[in-house]
């Protein structure tokens, strides 16, 4: 049986791994998940990630980041979901915690943060917020 929302599954795995104080988390890989992991790494929310092969299937291995024993990601939440897609123009993209957090947006120019989308002048689907 296929999964209905693989992005929500990715975010839940990260959230659960940090609650259990794991150093890394492994999940099935896709291009969109790798793009989200790239944004998280560029913004400093995770240490690193790698795509590995296991019996012909790609797996995404994310190394989680902690500061003073606390997870760097305090909140990670899915916004747009299969039952209710959320699309915003460049001027309407939400600011997370007045700019302290990020919203990850899927745009025609790729997956990027809310700040970069506003600077580029593109809107798109608001995938999730991270703080």
């Amino acid at each position: 049986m296929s999964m209905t929302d693989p992005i929500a599954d990715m975010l839940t795995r990260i959230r659960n791994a940090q609650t259990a104080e794991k150093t890394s988390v492994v999940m099935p890989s896709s291009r969109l998940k790798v793009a989200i992991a790239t944004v998280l790494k560029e913004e400093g929310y995770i240490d690193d990630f790698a795509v590995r092969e296991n019996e012909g299937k790609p797996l995404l291995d994310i190394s989680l980041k902690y500061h003073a024993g606390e997870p760097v990601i305090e909140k990670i939440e899915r916004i747009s979901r299969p039952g209710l897609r959320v699309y915003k123009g460049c001027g309407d993209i939400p600011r997370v915690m007045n700019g302290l957090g990020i919203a990850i947006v899927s745009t025609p120019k790729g997956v990027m943060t809310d700040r970069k989308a506003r600077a580029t002048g593109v809107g798109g689907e608001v995938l999730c917020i991270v703080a």
Side-chain angles (χ1 to χ4, degrees):
M1 188 170 149
S2 70
M3 194 177 318
T4 58
D5 194 1
I7 303 306
D9 178 64
M10 173 190 185
L11 303 179
T12 301
R13 285 179 192 235
I14 291 172
R15 197 178 312 113
N16 289 344
Q18 286 193 323
T19 301
E21 298 178 359
K22 301 285 186 185
T23 57
S24 68
V25 61
V26 179
M27 64 197 71
S29 181
S30 71
R31 287 189 319 197
L32 185 56
K33 288 180 185 180
V34 169
I36 291 171
T38 302
V39 170
L40 289 174
K41 182 180 178 190
E42 287 171 355
E43 292 295 316
Y45 287 104
I46 61 173
D47 273 334
D48 202 7
F49 69 94
V51 179
R52 305 187 197 313
E53 289 282 328
N54 185 19
E55 298 176 9
K57 303 218 187 262
L59 295 177
L60 180 62
D61 187 3
I62 297 178
S63 299
L64 301 173
K65 192 173 187 178
Y66 295 89
H67 178 70
E70 294 294 318
V72 172
I73 299 174
E74 294 176 7
K75 178 181 178 182
I76 187 164
E77 186 178 308
R78 182 83 156 115
I79 300 298
S80 185
R81 49 191 173 89
L84 179 63
R85 298 290 185 188
V86 177
Y87 297 96
K88 299 287 184 181
C90 67
D92 298 328
I93 297 173
R95 293 186 193 279
V96 181
M97 292 176 61
N98 264 349
L100 295 177
I102 62 167
I104 299 178
V105 184
S106 177
T107 69
K109 296 188 177 185
V111 177
M112 58 183 75
T113 65
D114 56 339
R115 288 187 293 275
K116 189 173 178 187
R118 274 190 222 96
T120 310
V122 294
E125 182 180 359
V126 182
L127 298 175
C128 63
I129 59 168
V130 184

